[in-house]
Amino acid sequence: MQLRDSNLEKLTGETFDVMIIGGGINGAAAAAALAGKGVRVALIDRGDFASGTSMHSSNLIWGGIKYMENHDFALVRKLCKSRNHLIKSFPSTVQEIRFLTTITKGFRYRPRYLWFGTWLYWLIGNGFTRIPRFLTPESIKHRESIIDTREAVGGFEYSDAYLHDNDARFVFNFVRTALNHGTVAANYVESLGAQRENDAWIVQAHNVVSGDTFDIRAKILINAAGPWVDEHNALSKQQTPHKHAYSKGIHLIVPRLTNHRRVLAFFDDEGRLFFVIPMGPRTCIGTTDTRMESPAVHVTDDDVQFVLDNINKRLTLEKPLSRDDIIATRCGVRSLAVKSGSRKNRDFLQLSRKHAIDTHEGDAHISIFGGKLTDCLNVGEEVVEEVKRLGVTISHPNYRWYGEPPAPVKREFMHQAQLMELDAMTPADSSEPLSIRLWRRYGAGALAMLEKIREDPRQGELLIEGTEYLRCELDQARHREMIVRLEDFLRRRSKISLVVRDEEIRHSPGLKEACEILFGDQAKARFDEYFDRHGDHGAEAPSHATEKDGAPHFETLKW
């Protein structure tokens, strides 16, 4: 925690150009963009970075094909361009993947009509991906034998993209980029509110770990608190044109259902898109769409049963999926940007995930509403323009603040990896060669790992059984990734707790060594803290409080 401790000291030592509240995708992208272009930035999050909505996504980078049904072609165009740009900028992380969609009897649209829609989607996206294909029930069954095609009338295949690693890792890499460019960031630091005095914002900050409170000063305050934007605006006495509506979505992680690297898409019992998504050695299925009144959400028994019922109706598995197959759950809330005072009879489920940025010029205050992973580069660039409009000098306006390191850096890494025969050290059950994996996760930072492995071959050994993490990666995490709790590593910097059951993690011979690397003298305390909270259940225990959450299915809700 040395990096965090040193940053905590720096937070009180100056008046920053910009203070950002919230380290999800919006805050992380804004920090990386501003810092890369020469702005002095501070960033805090009351939990870990990406510990809210940003770690509960479907891991998809997509152009919003579902918004075409509402004829929101401008949004689809924008999201497709963003998707394409992310694929080009992060080729090791954001990768094109095929979606195989099955249409059954009685659906509201015929398969060929939807197939035509995928061609329009492809054209709107500049023909960047592989072309769509129409599929007969027979060709669907040939491609994916686990799909139940008895009621199918056809389908289609088209392309979008997905994150090879998990969403929280993708978000943290923006935080790491911001740190590299001078951002002073700290997790587990809560804002208790802010007030403006003498042309500066004073944020009262609370160190969640130590209990200390202190002030942070900045010329501009950016509220990027995700689902809690409205809550923090109330603390800071900000009135905004937008507010948030909330929608809960859950996913279940189960053993791998198919060896093919594609997303299986269906329309569930309520006519909404429902996915089977590859996740390394596992499969992620979902999602639900339940209107909520607040950002506080949890998995319920009804949520779990809804997902299991829908997947078992659409696949012909040797044995239907049951609760015993669930390795982990994901449960998050979508933040939907809406105009304050919007008409109350608007269809809740027609709302999109587009973002909105509200700026109060007189107070030098910016609020970011909505948003999604696909749109993160747009958020970063738009925030830079707003900060510039508020009077902060952008000293490097043309700097490219995102993307993988330049090709010569990658060539040098791969050359060194080849000379030391790194890929020969790849564990037998690994999903990919070590050189590819280390480059994708750490970019130029992976060069230092090669040096560690050359000095001590044990640094290239797998540490936690059933995972794909080496000793040198744990050392890197300790020094550069601000790990405060074991969950920060197991769930967000990695996806270990999503793909390995907690009882297997607990008894892994390498876990205690991993804790010693990450936490030193606090290793046992952090180990006990994690398993006291999680028990021996990989999945969060579903709650029976379904009345509070409302129906887990996709009914047409009004507001």
Side-chain angles (χ1 to χ4, degrees), residues 420-439:
M420 63 187 288
E421 299 183 340
L422 178 70
D423 288 345
M425 306 177 195
T426 305
D429 58 351
S430 180
S431 62
E432 59 188 342
L434 272 178
S435 60
I436 293 175
R437 192 174 80 227
L438 292 181
W439 173 260

PDB file of all heavy atoms in Angstrom, residues 420-439:
ATOM      1  N   MET A 420      14.311 -15.384 -24.350  1.00  0.00           N
ATOM      2  CA  MET A 420      14.357 -16.114 -23.076  1.00  0.00           C
ATOM      3  C   MET A 420      13.399 -17.307 -23.061  1.00  0.00           C
ATOM      4  O   MET A 420      13.241 -17.967 -22.040  1.00  0.00           O
ATOM      5  CB  MET A 420      14.026 -15.176 -21.913  1.00  0.00           C
ATOM      6  CG  MET A 420      12.638 -14.595 -21.953  1.00  0.00           C
ATOM      7  SD  MET A 420      12.380 -13.347 -20.651  1.00  0.00           S
ATOM      8  CE  MET A 420      12.320 -14.382 -19.181  1.00  0.00           C
ATOM      9  N   GLU A 421      12.761 -17.596 -24.220  1.00  0.00           N
ATOM     10  CA  GLU A 421      11.839 -18.725 -24.366  1.00  0.00           C
ATOM     11  C   GLU A 421      10.734 -18.684 -23.312  1.00  0.00           C
ATOM     12  O   GLU A 421      10.424 -19.672 -22.655  1.00  0.00           O
ATOM     13  CB  GLU A 421      12.602 -20.056 -24.307  1.00  0.00           C
ATOM     14  CG  GLU A 421      13.635 -20.197 -25.419  1.00  0.00           C
ATOM     15  CD  GLU A 421      14.341 -21.535 -25.409  1.00  0.00           C
ATOM     16  OE1 GLU A 421      14.322 -22.214 -24.351  1.00  0.00           O
ATOM     17  OE2 GLU A 421      14.898 -21.918 -26.446  1.00  0.00           O
ATOM     18  N   LEU A 422      10.151 -17.495 -23.174  1.00  0.00           N
ATOM     19  CA  LEU A 422       9.104 -17.301 -22.171  1.00  0.00           C
ATOM     20  C   LEU A 422       7.916 -18.222 -22.402  1.00  0.00           C
ATOM     21  O   LEU A 422       7.376 -18.806 -21.452  1.00  0.00           O
ATOM     22  CB  LEU A 422       8.640 -15.833 -22.191  1.00  0.00           C
ATOM     23  CG  LEU A 422       7.501 -15.486 -21.225  1.00  0.00           C
ATOM     24  CD1 LEU A 422       7.990 -15.532 -19.771  1.00  0.00           C
ATOM     25  CD2 LEU A 422       6.919 -14.103 -21.542  1.00  0.00           C
ATOM     26  N   ASP A 423       7.489 -18.369 -23.651  1.00  0.00           N
ATOM     27  CA  ASP A 423       6.272 -19.150 -23.905  1.00  0.00           C
ATOM     28  C   ASP A 423       6.445 -20.625 -23.562  1.00  0.00           C
ATOM     29  O   ASP A 423       5.457 -21.336 -23.332  1.00  0.00           O
ATOM     30  CB  ASP A 423       5.841 -18.982 -25.368  1.00  0.00           C
ATOM     31  CG  ASP A 423       5.269 -17.602 -25.644  1.00  0.00           C
ATOM     32  OD1 ASP A 423       4.939 -16.893 -24.668  1.00  0.00           O
ATOM     33  OD2 ASP A 423       5.153 -17.218 -26.829  1.00  0.00           O
ATOM     34  N   ALA A 424       7.685 -21.092 -23.509  1.00  0.00           N
ATOM     35  CA  ALA A 424       7.921 -22.482 -23.099  1.00  0.00           C
ATOM     36  C   ALA A 424       7.600 -22.680 -21.621  1.00  0.00           C
ATOM     37  O   ALA A 424       7.403 -23.815 -21.173  1.00  0.00           O
ATOM     38  CB  ALA A 424       9.372 -22.863 -23.373  1.00  0.00           C
ATOM     39  N   MET A 425       7.528 -21.581 -20.864  1.00  0.00           N
ATOM     40  CA  MET A 425       7.182 -21.657 -19.444  1.00  0.00           C
ATOM     41  C   MET A 425       5.669 -21.643 -19.217  1.00  0.00           C
ATOM     42  O   MET A 425       5.213 -21.742 -18.073  1.00  0.00           O
ATOM     43  CB  MET A 425       7.799 -20.480 -18.686  1.00  0.00           C
ATOM     44  CG  MET A 425       9.290 -20.318 -18.856  1.00  0.00           C
ATOM     45  SD  MET A 425       9.883 -18.830 -17.976  1.00  0.00           S
ATOM     46  CE  MET A 425      11.515 -18.643 -18.708  1.00  0.00           C
ATOM     47  N   THR A 426       4.874 -21.486 -20.266  1.00  0.00           N
ATOM     48  CA  THR A 426       3.426 -21.405 -20.131  1.00  0.00           C
ATOM     49  C   THR A 426       2.876 -22.688 -19.515  1.00  0.00           C
ATOM     50  O   THR A 426       3.162 -23.784 -20.008  1.00  0.00           O
ATOM     51  CB  THR A 426       2.763 -21.183 -21.500  1.00  0.00           C
ATOM     52  OG1 THR A 426       3.328 -20.027 -22.116  1.00  0.00           O
ATOM     53  CG2 THR A 426       1.257 -20.993 -21.351  1.00  0.00           C
ATOM     54  N   PRO A 427       2.086 -22.593 -18.422  1.00  0.00           N
ATOM     55  CA  PRO A 427       1.483 -23.803 -17.837  1.00  0.00           C
ATOM     56  C   PRO A 427       0.659 -24.566 -18.867  1.00  0.00           C
ATOM     57  O   PRO A 427       0.053 -23.970 -19.776  1.00  0.00           O
ATOM     58  CB  PRO A 427       0.596 -23.233 -16.717  1.00  0.00           C
ATOM     59  CG  PRO A 427       1.236 -21.930 -16.359  1.00  0.00           C
ATOM     60  CD  PRO A 427       1.781 -21.384 -17.642  1.00  0.00           C
ATOM     61  N   ALA A 428       0.622 -25.881 -18.727  1.00  0.00           N
ATOM     62  CA  ALA A 428      -0.032 -26.733 -19.721  1.00  0.00           C
ATOM     63  C   ALA A 428      -1.505 -26.408 -19.900  1.00  0.00           C
ATOM     64  O   ALA A 428      -2.046 -26.532 -21.006  1.00  0.00           O
ATOM     65  CB  ALA A 428       0.149 -28.198 -19.323  1.00  0.00           C
ATOM     66  N   ASP A 429      -2.193 -26.002 -18.814  1.00  0.00           N
ATOM     67  CA  ASP A 429      -3.626 -25.750 -18.915  1.00  0.00           C
ATOM     68  C   ASP A 429      -3.953 -24.279 -19.185  1.00  0.00           C
ATOM     69  O   ASP A 429      -5.107 -23.856 -19.072  1.00  0.00           O
ATOM     70  CB  ASP A 429      -4.350 -26.203 -17.647  1.00  0.00           C
ATOM     71  CG  ASP A 429      -3.814 -25.505 -16.393  1.00  0.00           C
ATOM     72  OD1 ASP A 429      -2.775 -24.817 -16.487  1.00  0.00           O
ATOM     73  OD2 ASP A 429      -4.448 -25.658 -15.325  1.00  0.00           O
ATOM     74  N   SER A 430      -2.945 -23.505 -19.563  1.00  0.00           N
ATOM     75  CA  SER A 430      -3.166 -22.087 -19.832  1.00  0.00           C
ATOM     76  C   SER A 430      -3.949 -21.902 -21.136  1.00  0.00           C
ATOM     77  O   SER A 430      -3.831 -22.709 -22.066  1.00  0.00           O
ATOM     78  CB  SER A 430      -1.838 -21.345 -19.917  1.00  0.00           C
ATOM     79  OG  SER A 430      -2.032 -19.976 -20.168  1.00  0.00           O
ATOM     80  N   SER A 431      -4.719 -20.834 -21.211  1.00  0.00           N
ATOM     81  CA  SER A 431      -5.548 -20.571 -22.386  1.00  0.00           C
ATOM     82  C   SER A 431      -4.784 -19.880 -23.499  1.00  0.00           C
ATOM     83  O   SER A 431      -5.280 -19.781 -24.627  1.00  0.00           O
ATOM     84  CB  SER A 431      -6.757 -19.714 -21.987  1.00  0.00           C
ATOM     85  OG  SER A 431      -6.330 -18.451 -21.492  1.00  0.00           O
ATOM     86  N   GLU A 432      -3.568 -19.379 -23.215  1.00  0.00           N
ATOM     87  CA  GLU A 432      -2.807 -18.645 -24.224  1.00  0.00           C
ATOM     88  C   GLU A 432      -1.347 -18.577 -23.797  1.00  0.00           C
ATOM     89  O   GLU A 432      -1.021 -18.778 -22.619  1.00  0.00           O
ATOM     90  CB  GLU A 432      -3.366 -17.230 -24.386  1.00  0.00           C
ATOM     91  CG  GLU A 432      -3.343 -16.416 -23.102  1.00  0.00           C
ATOM     92  CD  GLU A 432      -4.063 -15.087 -23.224  1.00  0.00           C
ATOM     93  OE1 GLU A 432      -4.289 -14.629 -24.353  1.00  0.00           O
ATOM     94  OE2 GLU A 432      -4.390 -14.501 -22.176  1.00  0.00           O
ATOM     95  N   PRO A 433      -0.433 -18.279 -24.712  1.00  0.00           N
ATOM     96  CA  PRO A 433       0.979 -18.159 -24.358  1.00  0.00           C
ATOM     97  C   PRO A 433       1.219 -17.017 -23.374  1.00  0.00           C
ATOM     98  O   PRO A 433       0.521 -16.006 -23.381  1.00  0.00           O
ATOM     99  CB  PRO A 433       1.661 -17.880 -25.707  1.00  0.00           C
ATOM    100  CG  PRO A 433       0.710 -18.385 -26.737  1.00  0.00           C
ATOM    101  CD  PRO A 433      -0.660 -18.176 -26.165  1.00  0.00           C
ATOM    102  N   LEU A 434       2.236 -17.177 -22.546  1.00  0.00           N
ATOM    103  CA  LEU A 434       2.548 -16.177 -21.525  1.00  0.00           C
ATOM    104  C   LEU A 434       2.847 -14.809 -22.133  1.00  0.00           C
ATOM    105  O   LEU A 434       2.448 -13.781 -21.590  1.00  0.00           O
ATOM    106  CB  LEU A 434       3.755 -16.635 -20.703  1.00  0.00           C
ATOM    107  CG  LEU A 434       3.491 -17.514 -19.486  1.00  0.00           C
ATOM    108  CD1 LEU A 434       4.803 -17.897 -18.820  1.00  0.00           C
ATOM    109  CD2 LEU A 434       2.585 -16.796 -18.495  1.00  0.00           C
ATOM    110  N   SER A 435       3.553 -14.777 -23.251  1.00  0.00           N
ATOM    111  CA  SER A 435       3.930 -13.485 -23.832  1.00  0.00           C
ATOM    112  C   SER A 435       2.697 -12.678 -24.214  1.00  0.00           C
ATOM    113  O   SER A 435       2.636 -11.466 -23.964  1.00  0.00           O
ATOM    114  CB  SER A 435       4.816 -13.700 -25.065  1.00  0.00           C
ATOM    115  OG  SER A 435       4.138 -14.462 -26.056  1.00  0.00           O
ATOM    116  N   ILE A 436       1.711 -13.311 -24.791  1.00  0.00           N
ATOM    117  CA  ILE A 436       0.483 -12.615 -25.208  1.00  0.00           C
ATOM    118  C   ILE A 436      -0.272 -12.115 -23.989  1.00  0.00           C
ATOM    119  O   ILE A 436      -0.760 -10.982 -23.955  1.00  0.00           O
ATOM    120  CB  ILE A 436      -0.391 -13.553 -26.068  1.00  0.00           C
ATOM    121  CG1 ILE A 436       0.314 -13.842 -27.398  1.00  0.00           C
ATOM    122  CG2 ILE A 436      -1.775 -12.945 -26.301  1.00  0.00           C
ATOM    123  CD1 ILE A 436      -0.406 -14.858 -28.263  1.00  0.00           C
ATOM    124  N   ARG A 437      -0.358 -12.961 -22.964  1.00  0.00           N
ATOM    125  CA  ARG A 437      -1.128 -12.600 -21.776  1.00  0.00           C
ATOM    126  C   ARG A 437      -0.479 -11.447 -21.010  1.00  0.00           C
ATOM    127  O   ARG A 437      -1.148 -10.502 -20.604  1.00  0.00           O
ATOM    128  CB  ARG A 437      -1.292 -13.811 -20.863  1.00  0.00           C
ATOM    129  CG  ARG A 437      -2.317 -13.588 -19.765  1.00  0.00           C
ATOM    130  CD  ARG A 437      -2.569 -14.839 -18.978  1.00  0.00           C
ATOM    131  NE  ARG A 437      -1.542 -15.095 -17.986  1.00  0.00           N
ATOM    132  CZ  ARG A 437      -0.952 -16.271 -17.797  1.00  0.00           C
ATOM    133  NH1 ARG A 437      -1.278 -17.294 -18.552  1.00  0.00           N
ATOM    134  NH2 ARG A 437      -0.049 -16.418 -16.854  1.00  0.00           N
ATOM    135  N   LEU A 438       0.814 -11.512 -20.809  1.00  0.00           N
ATOM    136  CA  LEU A 438       1.488 -10.456 -20.053  1.00  0.00           C
ATOM    137  C   LEU A 438       1.442  -9.133 -20.802  1.00  0.00           C
ATOM    138  O   LEU A 438       1.261  -8.072 -20.201  1.00  0.00           O
ATOM    139  CB  LEU A 438       2.935 -10.857 -19.758  1.00  0.00           C
ATOM    140  CG  LEU A 438       3.133 -12.025 -18.784  1.00  0.00           C
ATOM    141  CD1 LEU A 438       4.609 -12.297 -18.566  1.00  0.00           C
ATOM    142  CD2 LEU A 438       2.432 -11.763 -17.452  1.00  0.00           C
ATOM    143  N   TRP A 439       1.581  -9.169 -22.121  1.00  0.00           N
ATOM    144  CA  TRP A 439       1.513  -7.921 -22.893  1.00  0.00           C
ATOM    145  C   TRP A 439       0.120  -7.302 -22.783  1.00  0.00           C
ATOM    146  O   TRP A 439      -0.020  -6.089 -22.593  1.00  0.00           O
ATOM    147  CB  TRP A 439       1.871  -8.159 -24.351  1.00  0.00           C
ATOM    148  CG  TRP A 439       1.651  -6.921 -25.176  1.00  0.00           C
ATOM    149  CD1 TRP A 439       0.598  -6.633 -25.985  1.00  0.00           C
ATOM    150  CD2 TRP A 439       2.501  -5.769 -25.196  1.00  0.00           C
ATOM    151  NE1 TRP A 439       0.734  -5.382 -26.531  1.00  0.00           N
ATOM    152  CE2 TRP A 439       1.895  -4.828 -26.072  1.00  0.00           C
ATOM    153  CE3 TRP A 439       3.707  -5.432 -24.583  1.00  0.00           C
ATOM    154  CZ2 TRP A 439       2.463  -3.573 -26.330  1.00  0.00           C
ATOM    155  CZ3 TRP A 439       4.273  -4.189 -24.845  1.00  0.00           C
ATOM    156  CH2 TRP A 439       3.648  -3.284 -25.705  1.00  0.00           C
TER     157      TRP A 439
END
